[in-house]
Amino acid sequence: MNNVLSGLAFNDEVRFYIADTKEMVNEMNTLQMCTPVCAAALGRTASITGLMGLMLKEDQEVTAKLIGDGPAGTITAIANAVGEVRATIENPFVDLPLKANNKLDVAGAVGTSGTLQVIKNLHLKEPFVGQSEIISGEIAEDFTYYFALSEQIPTAISAGVLVDVDHSIKQAGAFIVQLLPNAGEETIDKLEKAFLELGQLTTCLEQMSITEIVSSVFGDDFKILEQKSMKFLCTCSEERYINAIRMLGTDEIKEIKQDPIIECTCGFCKSVYLIDQTKI
Ligand code: ZN
């Protein structure tokens, strides 16, 4: 199912990416057993990182690590160019009271200071590593700041997760809009205004499809270049764990091999591997 659109708008001066990630975030939420506030933090990070993955080429991969000083701990999301995303949150059980405006206190869980680290494996000699400070903990703002600071691309990001009363995911999505180098002042003003008028992305997703949202922001001045899909997919396997253990230090391997069966649990999909120590 195609749940991602990308294209150009406003006289080809703006590039946009939008995803409806309800299914993906719901699956991650179930696996990670998140509280609503942690589901929102995890879902926003995974949805934005998923779109960043779709900006890459072929077998490239992006990892975003949100290392905040809040009780939820580090959130890690990994995405590739074909829309496969996996994500995990260190303390998924953190629960906080709603904010005065009845919204989930995502910044309270993530923290309002710390680091957003982005690592892109572009299959060059060294991976690309970009980093910026966490400025709000609400996640979309933090990624916006990252793009401006580390990649020098003026970017507007909206990301949201709406959690239902039964803790399932009612709506989730992300919208990234970037100014291309040829963008004029008029386009910048137009975009700012349109993005402000858009309001909460989850509210839009309750009433509109992603195509309708794009159309409500850009009017008829846009063209869709690609329709893609984004989903949860973990790449773990017993072989990967065996290789990872083999890369540890000699002493560590010796200690691990004292048990006849080595138990490894994947942080992303929660699969459990029982590895016979003779395989190491
Ligand atoms: Zn896994």
Side-chain angles (χ1 to χ4, degrees):
M1 188 195 79
N2 289 326
N3 56 355
V4 182
L5 296 176
S6 71
L8 293 169
F10 288 163
N11 199 28
D12 295 352
E13 294 174 26
V14 166
R15 173 109 216 198
F16 67 85
Y17 306 82
I18 186 166
D20 178 339
T21 57
K22 178 183 158 180
E23 305 287 325
M24 178 183 90
V25 176
N26 204 25
E27 212 171 332
M28 290 172 174
N29 179 35
T30 309
L31 285 166
Q32 302 284 322
M33 295 189 288
C34 290
T35 57
V37 70
C38 286
L42 182 76
R44 288 182 194 178
T45 309
S47 301
I48 297 169
T49 309
L51 286 182
M52 289 170 74
L54 290 172
M55 296 173 189
L56 300 172
K57 294 189 189 79
E58 290 164 8
D59 56 351
Q60 299 176 344
E61 194 175 70
V62 59
T63 301
K65 264 182 191 289
L66 196 65
I67 311 157
D69 62 350
T74 298
I75 301 170
T76 307
I78 306 174
N80 62 23
V82 292
E84 294 162 353
V85 188
R86 56 195 196 274
T88 179
I89 182 165
E90 209 175 339
N91 302 313
F93 310 124
V94 170
D95 211 357
L96 295 172
L98 292 176
K99 294 192 289 188
N101 61 2
N102 257 344
K103 302 274 182 208
L104 293 166
D105 189 5
V106 173
V110 170
T112 50
S113 69
T115 310
L116 170 58
Q117 206 178 65
V118 174
I119 304 148
K120 291 184 191 173
N121 188 351
L122 308 173
H123 297 290
L124 301 170
K125 260 189 193 157
E126 300 284 333
F128 164 90
V129 182
Q131 193 167 296
S132 61
E133 274 171 49
I134 289 174
I135 53 162
S136 85
E138 289 289 334
I139 301 171
E141 289 92 332
D142 303 305
F143 276 90
T144 302
Y145 184 63
Y146 161 79
F147 272 108
L149 193 83
S150 191
E151 301 201 11
Q152 272 119 41
I153 306 170
T155 305
I157 304 179
S158 180
V161 175
L162 189 64
V163 184
D164 216 336
V165 281
D166 64 357
H167 288 200
S168 67
I169 303 301
K170 207 172 176 194
Q171 298 297 342
F175 193 9
I176 299 184
V177 181
Q178 297 188 317
L179 288 176
L180 294 173
N182 62 337
E185 280 299 323
E186 201 186 317
T187 300
I188 297 171
D189 291 346
K190 237 169 36 176
L191 185 64
E192 272 178 4
K193 194 165 165 269
F195 229 69
L196 268 179
E197 280 172 6
L198 178 73
Q200 293 263 335
L201 184 61
T202 45
T203 312
C204 299
L205 285 164
E206 292 233 85
Q207 299 149 3
M208 292 186 267
S209 68
I210 47 174
T211 315
E212 287 166 342
I213 295 173
V214 167
S215 157
S216 87
V217 171
F218 303 119
D220 53 8
D221 188 2
F222 74 91
K223 56 185 169 216
I224 289 165
L225 299 178
E226 282 182 307
Q227 297 191 42
K228 292 184 174 180
S229 72
M230 194 196 293
K231 63 173 185 206
F232 167 79
L233 191 85
C234 195
T235 55
C236 67
S237 64
E238 183 179 282
E239 199 189 334
R240 282 196 173 212
Y241 277 100
I242 291 173
N243 288 336
I245 295 169
R246 283 180 184 155
M247 281 166 76
L248 297 170
T250 327
D251 289 348
E252 258 178 298
I253 295 178
K254 220 174 171 179
E255 205 184 309
I256 289 172
K257 285 182 78 171
Q258 282 180 353
D259 293 320
I261 300 290
I262 305 155
E263 187 178 321
C264 301
T265 305
C266 175
F268 297 102
C269 70
K270 305 294 173 190
S271 292
V272 177
Y273 295 95
L274 300 171
I275 303 166
D276 194 311
Q277 61 112 321
T278 57
K279 287 185 184 172
I280 308 292

